[in-house]
Amino acid sequence: MWNHQRTLTGLRGSGRAIFRNLMLKQPQKHAAKALIATFLIAFQLTQPPSAVAQASLPTLGDGGDLTASAERRLGDVIIRQLYRDPDYIDDAVLLEYVQTLWQALLAAARERGELPPELDERFAWEVLLGRDRSVNAFALPGGYLGVHLGLIGVVGSRDELASVLAHELSHVTQRHIARLIAQQSRQTPLMIGAMILGALAASKSPDAAQALAIGGQALVVQSQLNFSRDMEREADRVGLGLMTPAGFAPQGFVGMFEKLQQANRINDNGSWPYLRSHPLTTQRLADMQSRQPPGAAKPPAPTLEHGLLTARARVLSRPGIDVLRQWMAEPQGGGFAALPAPRRAAALYAAVLAASQLHEEASVRALLPRLHEAAGPDAAAQRQVQLLAAEVALAAGDAAGARRLVPEGAGRPELVLRAQASVRAGDGVGLAEVAGPLQTWVALHPRDAGAWQQLASVWQAQGQTLRAVRAEAEAHVARHDYAAAVDRFKAGQDLARQSRAADDHVEASIIDTRLRAVESLLREQAAER
């Protein structure tokens, strides 16, 4: 399915990580960053056959010699670097949307037996977002998924976005990364890293492509190319089988593929990494269309909520001040009233958020009522509008007003906004009301670093310093930064020795237990290095 050209272009696309600054400036980190790129598997759209046919098709193996635990540890190493990248974004609204689709696909994979219990238990199954405006997504070892805001900004429906996630999920469940590593087992990690670093450099400088020929590394790349063709076909086949059970229209694969084909004809400026790593052919498109279920109904129209969130992704990807001003002015244009209703709502959402980022509060106040009206009776869309209203009020310095505007509900966006507004307003009642739900949230989602950090701010504002220090430590643990976590836990121990409060003694016991556990993780991390 991939041609020989992918020897360079495929690695170039797959090596384009979730964040712009994948390559660190420190020389000692170049090898680690290059090794990370080895295992980035970019999205490939090829339509799988029907669900009935899929069940009888063979798989390509079980992952070679790499155990699930080892793959998870490798993923943790990679993800620790990405958490530190300045383009990493913890946007509660977009993350909730992507996670909802991701969790539905995971449930379908479990139901169909595509997700082995060992992987289900050991892998992270977490999504990270990056501000990169390029259209890309990729799977990482250990069940991590990277998604660019550029991808969210161009997909026409939740089904198209789900098709991307389904494909990437299948890369993980079918142990494609483990198989790649097993295939390259004769190469040392540094050799593999140097090879991929050369491929990445080639994307910026044609002269750097010569690095791929040194030491026979081009032969290694070619062998990886041949192996990946089968991987992509398998991910396509398995991915489509997840769509209907997860509640998505399988035509989402076709819609996304057609979008890529159109971009292939008119766009080669680097904003569509899929097009370089996965060249499109007429045969592939025809194959995808033929695999649609006979007599399938047309996919549902894109939801109003989806249009609002694609607009949000485009604004948050930092397109530049000039573009923000254009979006802010669009609702004032002469042809705006003639746009379809979903397009008007999305344009108004983008205009409000752009005006807020440009600190044009008067424009925000003028546009918000129009956005509420455009959302109409759609409950999901109205929730997004209300969350945006609270967000822009908080950005304008009206913390008390933002606290009142946060809609009812215990979703992560509501919790985060409610906590931020209460902390900034110094609202003791609001702090007390949000502390409990946040504690419940982190108990259910212990790897949610952002929620732990927000809980730390709430406890600090309440004067519960020891608890705040522990929450800060847990945030570092969630990001796999065990050294920083140990430092915070030890700072908590020092504070506990100075305290006479009974509650602090309980907290001190928790800190002691967690410190021993994280010190053990830190030793394991050091041994692996």
Side-chain angles (χ1 to χ4, degrees):
M1 181 172 55
W2 285 0
N3 57 28
H4 183 76
Q5 184 180 5
R6 183 182 175 273
T7 302
L8 282 181
T9 59
L11 291 173
R12 188 183 311 170
S14 62
R16 180 184 289 267
I18 186 172
F19 313 126
R20 295 180 182 280
N21 300 318
L22 179 62
M23 293 297 169
L24 299 183
K25 294 181 180 179
Q26 296 91 329
Q28 65 269 27
K29 293 185 178 179
H30 279 173
K33 282 296 191 177
L35 182 57
I36 288 172
T38 308
F39 308 109
L40 299 184
I41 301 181
F43 171 65
Q44 165 71 21
L45 280 170
T46 300
Q47 189 69 346
S50 68
V52 175
Q54 289 167 23
S56 63
L57 293 177
T59 60
L60 300 178
D62 61 1
D65 299 328
L66 188 69
T67 66
S69 296
E71 186 176 339
R72 171 62 190 275
R73 289 195 297 271
L74 176 59
D76 291 347
V77 170
I78 297 171
I79 217 69
R80 185 166 59 249
Q81 301 296 331
L82 296 186
Y83 274 128
R84 297 172 180 173
D85 195 286
D87 272 348
Y88 164 70
I89 176 173
D90 180 11
D91 182 75
V93 171
L94 291 176
L95 187 60
E96 179 191 59
Y97 188 60
V98 177
Q99 281 278 19
T100 299
L101 309 187
W102 180 243
Q103 290 300 322
L105 291 165
L106 280 172
R110 295 185 186 103
E111 179 185 340
R112 288 172 52 84
E114 300 290 356
L115 180 53
E118 182 186 17
L119 298 190
D120 197 3
E121 178 183 354
R122 294 184 182 275
F123 281 10
W125 308 118
E126 294 180 15
V127 177
L128 276 77
L129 302 180
R131 291 186 186 273
D132 199 314
R133 295 193 298 277
S134 65
V135 180
N136 210 359
F138 52 81
L140 290 169
Y144 294 102
L145 175 73
V147 179
H148 289 186
L149 295 193
L151 172 68
I152 302 173
V154 302
V155 289
S157 68
R158 64 195 292 269
D159 303 305
E160 289 184 5
L161 181 56
S163 73
V164 178
L165 305 186
H167 181 97
E168 296 303 331
L169 172 60
S170 299
H171 273 310
V172 180
T173 61
Q174 302 307 306
R175 304 302 308 279
H176 290 167
I177 298 169
R179 293 182 220 164
L180 277 175
I181 297 171
Q183 186 194 33
Q184 297 168 343
S185 60
R186 295 183 179 180
Q187 303 292 324
T188 67
L190 288 180
M191 176 68 77
I192 296 172
M195 176 186 69
I196 305 301
L197 181 60
L200 290 172
S203 68
K204 297 181 179 180
S205 170
D207 294 337
Q210 296 176 3
L212 293 174
I214 298 176
Q217 293 176 18
L219 296 177
V220 179
V221 175
Q222 182 60 45
S223 67
Q224 178 178 330
L225 161 64
N226 296 333
F227 197 56
S228 295
R229 287 170 179 160
D230 288 336
M231 288 181 179
E232 293 299 338
R233 280 191 287 265
E234 185 173 48
D236 293 335
R237 169 177 60 83
V238 176
L240 180 65
L242 301 179
M243 293 289 282
T244 299
F248 305 111
Q251 294 92 332
F253 265 89
V254 176
M256 190 67 194
F257 199 89
E258 290 175 342
K259 188 177 270 78
L260 291 173
Q261 186 189 50
Q262 181 180 9
N264 190 39
R265 293 171 178 166
I266 63 176
N267 190 320
D268 190 24
N269 62 4
S271 64
W272 292 74
Y274 293 166
L275 300 179
R276 297 190 307 279
S277 58
H278 311 294
L280 304 176
T281 65
T282 302
Q283 180 183 6
R284 287 176 57 202
L285 178 56
D287 179 56
M288 188 179 318
Q289 292 170 334
S290 68
R291 292 180 180 183
Q292 292 301 306
K298 290 184 178 180
T303 64
L304 194 57
E305 179 188 34
H306 178 81
L308 301 183
L309 295 182
T310 58
R312 180 180 185 85
R314 290 192 292 270
V315 174
L316 294 184
S317 64
R318 295 175 177 166
I321 293 177
D322 291 340
V323 177
L324 291 178
R325 292 197 178 281
Q326 290 175 10
W327 286 339
M328 191 178 74
E330 184 176 0
Q332 314 302 327
F336 181 76
L339 294 176
R343 173 70 187 280
R344 291 200 304 272
L348 284 165
Y349 188 103
V352 170
L353 187 53
S356 176
Q357 295 203 346
L358 294 170
H359 306 291
E360 299 279 356
E361 282 78 17
S363 295
V364 171
R365 289 192 297 271
L367 290 165
L368 262 175
R370 297 176 60 187
L371 177 56
H372 274 291
E373 182 180 357
D378 189 313
Q382 283 291 352
R383 173 182 176 244
Q384 295 300 336
V385 173
Q386 198 65 26
L387 287 169
L388 179 62
E391 178 184 348
V392 298
L394 187 61
D398 184 7
R403 179 69 176 81
R404 292 191 297 271
L405 287 170
V406 177
E408 295 296 327
R412 188 174 187 266
E414 285 87 353
L415 288 176
V416 169
L417 268 174
R418 202 171 288 132
Q420 290 174 341
S422 298
V423 168
R424 293 194 195 181
D427 180 1
V429 174
L431 290 168
E433 288 177 351
V434 77
L438 268 176
Q439 284 181 268
T440 301
W441 180 271
V442 296
L444 296 173
H445 307 86
R447 294 197 295 266
D448 190 336
W452 275 113
Q453 197 63 54
Q454 199 58 61
L455 184 57
S457 298
V458 169
W459 276 338
Q460 187 66 49
Q462 290 180 312
Q464 301 183 51
T465 306
L466 187 57
R467 277 186 154 189
V469 170
R470 176 169 72 87
E472 289 174 355
E474 295 291 0
H476 288 301
V477 173
R479 296 187 181 102
H480 306 283
D481 191 350
Y482 301 135
V486 165
D487 286 344
R488 296 312 293 155
F489 279 130
K490 287 183 176 179
Q493 284 183 326
D494 292 340
L495 283 173
R497 295 188 189 100
Q498 304 169 18
S499 175
R500 298 179 181 272
D503 289 346
D504 283 353
H505 288 305
V506 174
E507 198 68 26
S509 297
I510 297 174
I511 288 175
D512 291 342
T513 301
R514 291 293 293 142
L515 174 60
R516 288 193 294 272
V518 177
E519 283 180 329
S520 176
L521 293 172
L522 183 59
R523 287 192 295 270
E524 292 177 8
Q525 194 178 87
E528 290 170 1
R529 290 173 181 168

